[in-house]
Amino acid sequence: MQSIKSQFSNKVEWSELIKSGDRIFIGSNIAVPNALTDSLIDDAKNIRDLEMVHIGTVSEDRWAEPQYKDRFKINTFFIHGKKVRQAVDEGRADYTPCFLSEISSLFSNETLPLNAALIMVSPPDELGFCSLGVSVDIVMAAARSAKHIIAQVNPEMPRTCGHSFLHISEFSACIEARQPLPEVKVGENTKIIERIGQYVAMLVEDGATLQLGIGKIPDVVMQYLHSRKNLGIHSEMISDGVMDLIKAGVVNNRAKTFHPGKTVTSFCMGTKRLYDFIDMNPHIEFYPSAYVNKSANIAKNANMVSINSALQVDLSGQVVADSIGYKFYSGIGGQVDFVHGASKSKNGKSIIALPSTAKNGEVSRIVATLSEGAGVVTSRGNVHYVVTEFGIASLKGKSVRERALELLRVAHPKFREELLSQIRQQFWVPNYQKHTPTDIPELGDVQLLKHVIDDDVFYLRPLNPADERRLQEFFYSHTKDTVRLRYNYVPQGMTREKSCDLVSVDQSKDIALTIVRQEGSKIRIEAVGRYYLYPEENACEVAFVTRENLHGKGMAKRLLSTMIDIASKRGIKKMFAIVKSENKPMLAVFEKFGFKRVFNPDPGEIELIKYLQE
């Protein structure tokens, strides 16, 4: 070991390794070699016009300070940190958009040839191998491609398994400098983030393989996954939430079809607990981004679920993630890699999750048209779901009109009318689509309630304008007897316009609920329940209809009990129903819930009443 340590230097002789005008790579994320960057700034003042290339950096970012603008020109693939962002905004730094999976090739094929790579590594083992530890990502490719590897050996750096090792003999220079790894902690959750997390978690099934980023939304999602089984991880990064799921046995990678039994990642960010957890942990393997983020590799995982965020989504499903108008804010990162990979995966799902508003609720993130200057990161063709605190918009296989209606439903209510008006001008929705979706506060924060029948999972939720085609299909699935018993006349058909009218309900007055079967992006209406308000009488008329093969399975009871609960909370005095006298099953459901028969002069119909308020 003595012979290995003897290769360490007290300082770097910069003039022997680099010269003015060179391109220098700086290590990534929480593995920024600050001792090296400080030495370059303080001890190599005669070397100028260096291009500093990096992705996100969690450090003081001294090289980005204005006083060094004549010495360092930044070229970043991901804008992170106040100083780097300010440098980009002021034109002192460049932003190069690139998929994370492809950045490595810019170094290896010398599109961006590197003169030196400044990296942080763990102490060498007895054989002389150092680990890149918490940040393999593009660091390995930069090190392999650079003329010189200049390393900071940090005793605080954990050793990670996988493709993370470099031999000390490969270093042109190295110094030993202890540097505590920055801890990245997620802030306090808000009610909005909690709702988003709950909705996203509903889309994650047992046996899924996940890609999760860092931030409040992924963190909350993981909190709601502790009831799942046999989850796997194939993600460009992991955080404390993944560690907690592994410790709980929820993530065991047993169902993975690519690297089964292993959590696969390229870097991590979190607390010291996480850094200690990954140290020589054989269950977690770190690989370069070119491998982890390669869409073909991601797609090898069946049931792959990618969860990413956005700054803005338009009503056709285009996703803006790296800019706010003309102002570049972050970067493409790995979003497109994983969205595309999940889309190609067997039973995969790509999810974009974001709050519905920004700037304290003053600006809608769901927009009719993208802000001027904003760039599309993920195309409308790749996104399966968009999730906000108002629900889940399912986009896969939907027309532009259907997408717009789905996304209107998850936009903030105070912006829905304006958004509908804007897209109506472009004929994205027909002129008969007059009403925006409304929520039912009495259902609770999450407007999606699980309903289980014989181990089959269904969901109860409000009917909404995006269900227009589904309701039409539901109507035409009925037998003639069902149509005759459900309606007091025999409808001749169900036009799209009529269907639109039936799903465009002001849920603050009338109520329209549906129970749906949802498998991925396939949604089918199985039952519908409604009540119509008669405000002058403070009463409502109730009706429901269920798909024939599900009669007697409890759907009508669930719909009726939910409507009774809503009506009670709204202070409605009575509920009533008019039922064909031969419709014995429906009469039985009403009577089970305390509806009493009253006189009706028509012998073919029976009227039932339930008083909610005396």
Side-chain angles (χ1 to χ4, degrees), residues 134-339:
V134 296
S135 193
V136 174
D137 46 68
I138 65 169
V139 177
M140 180 63 79
R144 293 293 188 204
S145 303
K147 293 179 181 178
H148 298 287
I149 301 174
I150 305 172
Q152 175 184 338
V153 177
N154 181 10
E156 301 274 347
M157 177 70 87
R159 297 174 66 83
T160 53
C161 299
H163 188 42
S164 70
F165 295 99
L166 293 170
H167 196 269
I168 195 169
S169 63
E170 299 177 77
F171 303 157
S172 299
C174 63
I175 62 171
E176 183 174 26
R178 184 177 293 274
Q179 177 183 322
L181 297 178
E183 295 191 63
V184 180
K185 299 178 181 179
V186 178
E188 292 294 320
N189 294 330
T190 65
K191 191 174 182 180
I192 289 174
I193 298 299
E194 288 281 349
R195 289 183 195 173
I196 295 171
Q198 287 176 272
Y199 277 122
V200 172
M202 288 180 176
L203 294 171
V204 178
E205 300 172 353
D206 291 348
T209 294
L210 306 179
Q211 173 251 329
L212 295 140
I214 194 167
K216 293 182 179 179
I217 291 176
D219 189 65
V220 170
V221 171
M222 286 184 276
Q223 292 176 23
Y224 284 102
L225 294 178
H226 280 263
S227 62
R228 300 298 189 276
K229 299 176 182 177
N230 301 323
L231 297 183
I233 299 293
H234 183 111
S235 181
E236 68 188 44
M237 71 148 292
I238 59 172
S239 62
D240 284 43
V242 170
M243 171 184 64
D244 293 336
L245 289 175
I246 294 173
K247 287 184 173 182
V250 176
V251 167
N252 57 25
N253 298 294
R254 192 174 300 157
K256 286 182 71 177
T257 52
F258 186 57
H259 286 281
K262 303 291 184 179
T263 288
V264 171
T265 189
S266 68
F267 70 97
C268 70
M269 296 174 70
T271 65
K272 191 174 185 304
R273 281 198 317 128
L274 176 65
Y275 308 148
D276 292 340
F277 180 73
I278 64 171
D279 188 26
M280 290 309 295
N281 188 329
H283 304 290
I284 303 173
E285 295 184 342
F286 285 68
Y287 292 91
S289 299
Y291 182 81
V292 175
N293 284 53
K294 185 177 180 180
S295 293
N297 287 341
I298 296 166
K300 290 176 183 177
N301 290 296
N303 305 304
M304 184 73 210
V305 178
S306 72
I307 303 169
N308 291 281
S309 194
L311 297 170
Q312 198 175 63
V313 178
D314 79 1
L315 289 175
S316 74
Q318 296 185 110
V319 177
V320 175
D322 70 343
S323 61
I324 302 173
Y326 288 105
K327 184 175 182 178
F328 293 111
Y329 184 78
S330 55
I332 291 175
Q335 179 175 127
V336 177
D337 298 329
F338 276 93
V339 165

Side-chain angles (χ1 to χ4, degrees), residues 102-144:
E102 296 182 2
I103 295 175
S104 296
S105 67
L106 299 180
F107 305 146
S108 61
N109 66 20
E110 296 194 336
T111 300
L112 295 176
L114 297 175
N115 300 95
L118 279 53
I119 66 174
M120 182 191 289
V121 297
S122 73
D125 61 17
E126 63 276 10
L127 298 177
F129 286 95
C130 301
S131 171
L132 292 174
V134 296
S135 193
V136 174
D137 46 68
I138 65 169
V139 177
M140 180 63 79
R144 293 293 188 204

